[in-house]
């Protein structure tokens, strides 16, 4: 991980890049909308999430925090949070998957009222273990994959609380997934491996918000881009955006770099690895390393060696090699130089999560998956524009009336200003 020069406060420089969260922090510290509530937070633990966790606490809550992934925890951030009042730690940087699961169980045993989650792991664990969940009033989820899991819980009748799908709100996925992951995944990958994007063939699996951001960034740096998809509409979109589109089996022998962004599993399989060029580089920017079928690659390989921090080289039976980045964990959050999304992007995501948390304790809804109310989504975008000193227009009265009209006479009327 990167050594930061920060004096006593590892979050100081990050706060400067998060003006929307900081403005909410000032308001929440006064109004304390979460006073009396115990909030369980699961997230990647690095400086941006540190700022967010502090803000939940400053809103009046007792905060129990843990990690959403055992590979991405930064020890100095955990130590900084752990030293503060009303922040209780259920994670350590050296925990493996099992130890983290045990720590999450301990967190849940404290019976949080509200969960702010990443990947829905904490909620899934609550329902799968014997900890009581009756006191839970809601959950706000920030990732695409996490929302899919909560929708699955709703579909099979498991979900007992209202869940706000923060990922699905425009101010989150249009910026965080597209620009945040798009920039940070490729930057971290190329810096760590010292490869060049220009002139390389970059294969992006999945052309959703994340895949679009990565493909756009790769092309802007001079890469030849290939997109693979399973959704005809997204495949067509990639084609119309000017990328080559083909099945992964056809793309396998053509790529220098492969990035998965699907949220699915085993997008790359042994036949694809066998077909790849010698020393092709594979990484994952989606949710878990199962996207790359890492276990299949391990089974296929005759040997494995670490050839640099964050890079494992697998030798295949025919003597060719595959370089795997960060063990298939998130390309922007794992590995020695990982800094995750830029703080300026996570500013809007965490602001949306904070407003979702306040919304959940202030409203009484049936169990189910809900979008963040539109006025809250827009409020975040408005604050972000203001922070960047960017102004937009308000519709005139006539424009508003025109938008709402449907009678032909009204539409054709000569409007007086
Ligand atoms: P999305 O749902 O907009 O896009 C996923 C795309 O992958 C869809 O178009 C789908 O048709 C396609 N896809 C699914 N299976 C496929 C397969 N086998 N081959 C090719 N394409 C396939 O989701 P979004 O928002 O783009 O997120 C993608 C993943 O990235 C999710 O797991 C999400 O949780 C994760 N994510 C990761 C971030 C990070 O920091 N690395 C940040 C934001 C999201």
């Amino acid at each position: 991980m990167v050594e930061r020069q920060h004096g006593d406060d590892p979050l100081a420089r990050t706060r400067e890049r998060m003006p929307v969260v900081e403005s909410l922090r000032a308001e929440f510290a006064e109004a304390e909308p979460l006073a009396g509530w115990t909030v369980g937070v699961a997230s990647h633990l690095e400086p941006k999430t540190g700022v967010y966790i502090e803000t939940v606490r400053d809103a009046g809550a007792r905060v129990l925090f843990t990690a959403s992934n055992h590979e991405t925890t930064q020890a100095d951030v955990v130590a900084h949070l752990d030293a503060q009042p009303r922040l209780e730690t259920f994670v350590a940087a050296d925990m493996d998957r099992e130890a983290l699961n045990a720590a999450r169980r301990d967190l849940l045993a404290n019976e949080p009222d509200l969960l702010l989650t990443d990947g829905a792991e904490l909620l899934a664990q609550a329902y799968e273990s014997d900890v009581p969940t009756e006191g839970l009033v809601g959950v706000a989820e920030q990732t695409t994959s996490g929302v899919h899991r909560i929708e699955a819980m709703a579909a099979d009748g498991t979900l007992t609380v209202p869940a706000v799908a923060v990922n699905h709100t425009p101010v989150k996925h249009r910026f965080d997934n597209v620009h945040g992951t798009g920039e940070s995944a490729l930057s971290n990958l190329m810096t760590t491996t010292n490869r060049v994007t220009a002139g390389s063939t970059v294969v992006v699996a999945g052309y959703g918000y994340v895949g679009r951001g990565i493909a756009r960034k790769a092309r802007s740096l001079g890469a030849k881009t290939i997109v693979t998809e399973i959704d005809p509409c997204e495949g067509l979109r990639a084609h119309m955006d000017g990328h080559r589109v083909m099945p992964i089996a056809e793309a396998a022998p053509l790529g220098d770099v492969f990035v998965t962004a699907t949220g699915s599993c085993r997008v790359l399989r042994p036949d694809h690895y066998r077909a790849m060029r010698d020393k092709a580089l594979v990484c994952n920017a989606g949710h878990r390393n199962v996207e790359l079928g890492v276990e299949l690659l391990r089974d296929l390989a005759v040997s494995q060696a670490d050839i640099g921090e964050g890079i494992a080289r697998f030798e295949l039976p025919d003597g060719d090699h595959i370089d795997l980045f960060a063990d298939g964990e998130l390309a922007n959050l794992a590995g020695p130089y990982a800094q995750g999304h830029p703080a300026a992007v996570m500013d809007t995501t965490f602001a949306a999560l904070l407003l979702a948390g306040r919304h959940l304790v202030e409203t009484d809804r049936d169990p189910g998956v809900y979008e963040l109310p539109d006025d809250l989504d827009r409020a975040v975008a408005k604050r972000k524009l203001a922070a960047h000193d960017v102004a937009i227009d308000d519709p005139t009265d006539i424009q508003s009336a025109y938008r709402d009209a449907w009678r032909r006479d009204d539409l054709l009327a000569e409007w007086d200003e």
Side-chain angles (χ1 to χ4, degrees), residues 203 205 228 230 246-255 258 260 265-282 290-293 296-297 300 316 318 320-322:
V203 178
T228 75
I230 55 166
M246 61 185 76
I248 188 69
E250 282 176 37
L254 305 179
F258 293 78
T260 51
C265 65
R266 298 189 175 183
V267 176
L268 293 178
R269 298 180 290 281
D271 281 354
H272 309 136
Y273 285 119
R274 279 196 210 95
M276 284 180 193
R277 291 178 178 170
D278 187 29
K279 302 188 185 63
L281 173 65
V282 299
V290 293
E291 287 200 32
L292 294 178
L296 302 177
L297 176 60
L300 176 67
L316 304 190
D318 67 358
D320 278 358
H321 302 85
I322 302 292

Side-chain angles (χ1 to χ4, degrees), residues 1-4 71 74 188-189 191-193 308-311 325-326 330-339:
M1 292 291 166
V2 185
E3 285 243 349
R4 285 182 291 275
E71 296 275 359
Q74 298 187 11
N188 189 34
L189 176 72
T191 303
T192 310
T193 57
E309 252 192 303
I311 317 163
F325 182 68
L330 299 188
N332 54 328
L333 278 152
Y337 301 105
Q339 298 203 54

Side-chain angles (χ1 to χ4, degrees), residues 23 30-31 57-58 79 84 102 115 146 171 206 218 239 249 251 256 262 282-283 304 333 347 368 378:
S23 70
E30 204 157 310
R57 186 272 319 276
D58 288 349
Q84 299 184 43
L115 296 180
V171 82
H239 172 71
D256 299 300
T262 66
V282 299
C283 79
Q304 175 186 344
L333 278 152
D347 191 25
R378 284 168 178 273

Side-chain angles (χ1 to χ4, degrees), residues 143-145 148 167 172 176-177 181 205-211 228-231 234 261-264 267 285-287 291 330 332-333 341:
T143 69
T144 315
S145 292
H148 291 162
N167 177 75
K172 196 277 180 181
D176 172 324
N177 302 27
T181 319
Y207 201 63
Y209 292 97
V210 171
T228 75
E229 252 298 342
I230 55 166
D231 180 313
E234 299 304 355
T262 66
S264 184
V267 176
H287 187 58
E291 287 200 32
L330 299 188
N332 54 328
L333 278 152
H341 288 169

